[in-house]
Structures are given as structure tokens and as C-alpha cells.
Amino acid sequence: ETGVTQTPRHLVMGMTNKKSLKCEQHLGHNAMYWYKQSAKKPLELMFVYNFKEQTENNSVPSRFSPECPNSSHLFLHLHTLQPEDSALYLCASSQEAAALAKNIQYFGAGTRLSVL
Amino acid sequence: GQNIDQPTEMTATEGAIVQINCTYQTSGFNGLFWYQQHAGEAPTFLSYNVLDGLEEKGRFSSFLSRSKGYSYLLLKELQMKDSASYLCAVPGGYNKLIFGAGTRLAVHP
């Protein structure tokens, strides 16, 4: 148990569906992250929120829409996805997002998404 | 920009020692992280190096050479539960952690 919980663990959706991924952290952190992990590829940073404000959007298509209502919760809203969006979506949190060196990120177990 | 290279797969025998290498290129250096990820689970933090040399933490040690852009993770007395992917990562500027593709380690009896 890392203190970061993601739901659902598995999701299958059609290209016309709308769904949301949820992440909750119980670590008192102020920064939260969304990553995409595809087979045999590096973890790709998607979004960063620091104190509820979005500080990074790594050129993510608009069919992915993040929401951070407070420092403990992060959502990723999905609509009109493509089959190539099938991947493991990981959420992480850290004390805060900063240029400080030792900014350890704690990850959730991820949501395995399949787009049909 | 940043670039990280690590071997895709490695195999080792239970009880043995294995070294997983990572080379990196960064425009600035703020340390290097190693994470472990078991299949279907969250990546978990293993180590952080910012100064040259070897840092030991139980069966796992991590080494860094900043001048060579090189790090390795050393796993001793391998156990079956050490079968996992090992991810090397460096800070890539404000907010960002840049990951390598990971090394999948299989430990055999």
C-alpha cells in the first residue's frame, strides 16, 4: 500500500464513451501527477498539479481532461478515445512539485484501460 | 533534453548478484532515482543518488558517476520476489521526472 489509490483498476470502453479515472492520496502531499505507461515504453508524464493548480500539460490531446478539486483528489476524464490510448494510467503524488532534487513520487497501482 | 538508456531485459539466478545499468544525458543534473515495479503494481521508490559513489541499502545498492552519466542498481542475494521491472529516472526540470523504459528482471530458481 503506497498511500495512493486509483479506481477503477481495469476499464474497457468504446471510442464514443465517456469515463473518468479517479486518484486519491492519503499522504498529505501537495502535488499530483498523471502518467501513461504503454508496453515497452517509458512512463510518459501527462499532467502535473501543484496545490490544485495545473503546472504541466505535456502536449496531451484534449480528449484527456484532468481535474484536481483538492490536493488529495485527481481525476482524468476521458472522451472519444482512440485504440492507441489503451495503456496503464498511473497517478502519483509528492510533497510538492519543485526543482528540489529529492522529490520522491509515490505511485498508485494504475488503471488498465482498453479502448475498443 | 533528457535521454535515458537501460537494458530491456535481464535474467539471473536465485541467490546471485545482478547489476542493472542506466546511462543518461541531461541538460542539468539533480540526482537519479531507481524505482521497482512488479507486474500490475505501483512503481515503488528504491533509491536516490545525487553524489558520486555507492549507496547501500540492505540487499540493494545504487551507484552514480556524474562525469560518466552512469548509474547502476546492484541487487545481491537475489530472491524470486525480486522479479520485477526496474526504472531509472532523472528530474527533467520543474515538476518533471523523466523515466527510462525500464529493465525487466526475471529471477530463476
Side-chain angles (χ1 to χ4, degrees):
Chain A
E1 177 58 50
T2 62
V4 181
T5 304
Q6 290 187 243
T7 54
R9 292 294 310 275
H10 301 274
L11 178 62
V12 179
M13 60 186 289
M15 288 190 285
T16 58
N17 291 158
K18 289 184 180 181
K19 296 287 184 183
S20 295
L21 310 184
K22 179 182 176 182
C23 177
E24 182 174 2
Q25 57 96 359
H26 308 277
L27 301 170
H29 289 163
N30 295 307
M32 296 189 78
Y33 310 77
W34 279 117
Y35 287 88
K36 176 182 179 182
Q37 188 175 36
S38 302
K40 300 185 179 180
K41 287 187 176 180
L43 276 167
E44 300 173 50
L45 180 66
M46 299 175 72
F47 301 103
V48 182
Y49 279 81
N50 204 20
F51 294 93
K52 302 190 299 178
E53 298 297 319
Q54 187 182 120
T55 55
E56 183 81 25
N57 177 337
N58 199 24
S59 303
V60 180
S62 59
R63 57 186 183 269
F64 295 91
S65 174
E67 179 189 1
C68 188
N70 54 61
S71 292
S72 298
H73 294 84
L74 185 65
F75 295 89
L76 188 62
H77 303 300
L78 316 171
H79 62 99
T80 59
L81 294 192
Q82 304 298 311
E84 59 265 30
D85 296 323
S86 298
L88 181 67
Y89 288 85
L90 289 163
C91 172
S93 71
S94 68
Q95 187 59 43
E96 66 177 85
L100 294 175
K102 193 172 181 180
N103 185 28
I104 299 171
Q105 294 183 19
Y106 295 84
F107 287 82
T111 295
R112 174 72 62 188
L113 174 66
S114 297
V115 181
L116 304 178
Chain B
Q2 283 80 22
N3 189 46
I4 298 176
D5 289 308
Q6 41 181 143
T8 304
E9 294 183 349
M10 298 183 72
T11 59
T13 305
E14 195 174 14
I17 299 173
V18 70
Q19 178 176 311
I20 302 175
N21 296 325
C22 171
T23 57
Y24 62 89
Q25 295 91 42
T26 61
S27 52
F29 184 75
N30 279 311
L32 185 141
F33 294 81
W34 282 98
Y35 281 79
Q36 179 192 58
Q37 186 180 21
H38 286 100
E41 297 183 15
T44 55
F45 169 77
L46 285 179
S47 67
Y48 170 76
N49 294 68
V50 67
L51 299 177
D52 289 349
L54 185 69
E55 296 217 0
E56 298 187 62
K57 197 185 291 186
R59 292 190 299 114
F60 292 9
S61 302
S62 55
F63 172 83
L64 176 68
S65 169
R66 288 172 295 173
S67 62
K68 296 182 179 178
Y70 168 68
S71 173
Y72 66 73
L73 184 68
L74 192 69
L75 289 71
K76 303 176 185 175
E77 301 169 19
L78 279 173
Q79 302 176 9
M80 298 297 290
K81 67 179 182 180
D82 298 329
S83 294
S85 288
Y86 291 87
L87 312 177
C88 175
V90 295
Y94 191 88
N95 293 339
K96 292 185 177 181
L97 202 56
I98 309 299
F99 284 86
T103 298
R104 189 159 60 246
L105 173 67
V107 180
H108 299 291

